[in-house]
Amino acid sequence: MPILRMGPRLLLFTFVLLSTCQTVESQLVIRSVVLTIEPRNSVSRGTDVTVRCQATINSDRSAKREYTIYRDDTVVYTHSSNTSEDVLYRLPDARVANAGKYKCLVKVQDKEQMSLPEKLTLTGLKTPILHIDKKVLSEGENVKMRCSAPEETGNILFTFYMDSTDLKDVRTNTSQVEMTYNFKDVGVRRLHCDYKVILLANAVSSNISNVIDVTVKELEITPTISVQPHGTKIIEGDNLTISCSVNGNKQNSSEAKMHLLKGSTMLSFGETSTTHSMTAMAEDSGKFECMLEMGTVLKQATEHVIITELFSKPVLVMEPMEVFEKEEFRLTCKSTNYSTERISSSKITYSIYRDNYKLTPDRFNGTYVVPANVQHQNGKYYCIANARNVSKYSGSLNVKAKVPVSKPEIMSIGKVIVGKPFQVRCHSDQGSLPINYTLLRRGKAINSIAVGESHHEAIFSITLQHHGDIEDYKCRAKNRRYALDSNKLNTTVIVPLSGAKLGISSDLSAAPSELSLDVAEGYAIYLLCSVQGSYPISFKWYKRGNAKPLYTITSTKTTGTYQIPQVTNEHSGNYYCLADNPAEKTSVSQDITVDVRMARWKKGLIVACCLLVVAFAVIGCVLHFRSQRGARDDATELSVKPSSPKSDDSLTVSLAHDTMEVYNPPKDAALHLACMRGRAINGTRDSVTSLPADNSNRSSYSIPATV
């Protein structure tokens, strides 16, 4: 066998080791198991609840502990640990489903103990929400309804109602449920729903039974504790011995087990006695306890031990408290108190470390200067004080050298318009926070803003009264001892437009008129719009009565020109102009009247036409007059034929240019002839003058006459 080959000594060592392990395991004691509910046993829904299981166990720290937490006898959480830390079962945003009785079971090796139950009560449920797929429907149609309980968990019973009457109950483990209902009755129906979280039924308590008195007697055995040195002051570095023993009739009982504890830490154990020796330290001050275990009976004896510090915990101090890059600073490590009964101040030695690297030499008086040219000044500094084999550490000091502020930059935000407020931002790219930014005008502080967070900005409000005021502004950045000024504020300034004027001229070389212009047709006119303000400027020209602009132009000058190459009578009227720039303030000019005259050549043509018409009229009158006069002269040359015609024969009258046949009318025609003669005498000459004057085209006209 391999075990027999080990030799007698090795077998003996193995046997002793196994016996020791078994003895250690057998000395384990579970003193108590306590379950608590935080913040309290009765809370409202949505509260963060913590179930804490605390076990007090007398054993070495390596003993494995198994924790089991129950709710209403159902396991809800398990945990294993080798430490004495409390086990926490967290219920964030607790629901009513988490209510119940909680217990904690702790097992260590072959021992276990259950805590007393604690009841968790939760009140308040969220209001359910009802959803339906339609609100207006015909009789006989189906409606789908959904009732939801937001964020609720557990076994939930939903109930749907119509006109306060139960429609249907649905039990589920989800937070919502759906149902379909067929509506047959006509009219308005009111629907709603609610829900219940199903918990274990409450138990009914009975009456109490008869009462029996029981007397329990104390065992005649007690533990004792002794501390050495006794009766003298114990100072750090001294040897400290603590012993436990048993007094009583059952001192030699095999059931007795003795434990020496410091708080929850087991220092040593034995059957009826145990002893523990240690080097005294100030943090060891407190209550030492000897606990005797007899089956299920525990008895204790305690002793309070006070241990005086040999020297106090060192304190590391930095001067100055704030340091900038490439600046030296001083570190001082000192213990302010020490026991004069054991040591003097010179016996305490100090060491300073940065990030676990020793900076100081062996002989060191406690003060160390970190030079300015050190490449790595930032880090975690601490110091150690030593005396009589006792070492104490100071608290850590995190040093991060501040960065001097860089030259700030000032810039505008958005449009800068004279007379309107605008914002400027002052910012330094480098510099440790907080940085104090100050707005300056001509060197005088106007406003200050302290920036302590990286996402914050220093933004100031400014209103310019004149265009040139923009160069009066700067900003200053300062963090502690360092301060720098920015350059002058440099940005585009927009001056609102004002004083728009409209001038008009037919010659660009001549001064324009601002009232009116009288111009002849065919000439060119120029409408000049001028304004005061900053460009670019948009000019628009209008004629009164027209909503649409005649002409639009954008210029980088303060004047704009609109030309009408050849004016006509249609161009007469009133004109004005509008000017606009990014300041969005429109300036309107005065009206100018344009009167377009007729062209000279048209006037001459009209005069010539009139003269020509008059000439033709005069000529016509002269010709007409002459023709009338010639007719009268020819009438005197009438000739009568010598024949003696009958009374009814015609007579021929010869005129100078015409021949007229004369006949003897009937008797009744005398009156008609007299009328014709009277008409000729009265100046009616149409029948004669209308005759053609040309002899070659003569024709004979028969006119009744009497001779």
Side-chain angles (χ1 to χ4, degrees), residues 2 111 176 230-231 278 311 320 332 425 452 465 522 524 531 646 650 693:
K111 297 187 178 183
Q176 66 178 14
H230 180 70
M278 57 189 293
F311 55 88
T332 302
R425 181 172 73 98
Q465 300 301 324
V531 72
K646 294 180 180 181
S650 298

Side-chain angles (χ1 to χ4, degrees), residues 387-439:
R388 292 187 63 192
N389 297 325
V390 176
S391 298
K392 294 188 178 182
Y393 288 72
S394 71
S396 60
L397 183 64
N398 292 318
V399 176
K400 186 175 182 180
K402 293 184 176 296
V403 179
V405 70
S406 62
K407 184 176 181 179
E409 181 181 3
I410 185 171
M411 63 199 74
S412 61
I413 301 175
K415 294 180 180 179
V416 179
I417 301 174
V418 173
K420 292 185 179 181
F422 66 96
Q423 291 182 328
V424 296
R425 181 172 73 98
C426 188
H427 175 71
S428 293
D429 291 333
Q430 296 181 350
S432 297
L433 301 175
I435 299 176
N436 190 67
Y437 293 96
T438 302
L439 180 65

Side-chain angles (χ1 to χ4, degrees), residues 30-38 41 50-57 65 67-69 84-89 102-107 112-118:
I30 301 177
R31 298 187 61 185
S32 63
V33 178
V34 179
L35 182 139
T36 56
I37 297 177
E38 300 171 356
N41 288 48
T50 300
V51 179
R52 181 186 297 273
C53 183
Q54 183 180 22
T56 304
I57 301 173
R65 309 177 185 195
Y67 296 82
T68 304
I69 296 178
S84 60
E85 295 181 356
D86 297 349
V87 173
L88 305 179
Y89 173 48
Y102 287 81
K103 294 183 292 184
C104 178
L105 176 66
V106 179
K107 290 184 179 181
E112 65 180 34
Q113 185 170 332
M114 179 78 76
S115 70
L116 294 176
E118 291 289 338

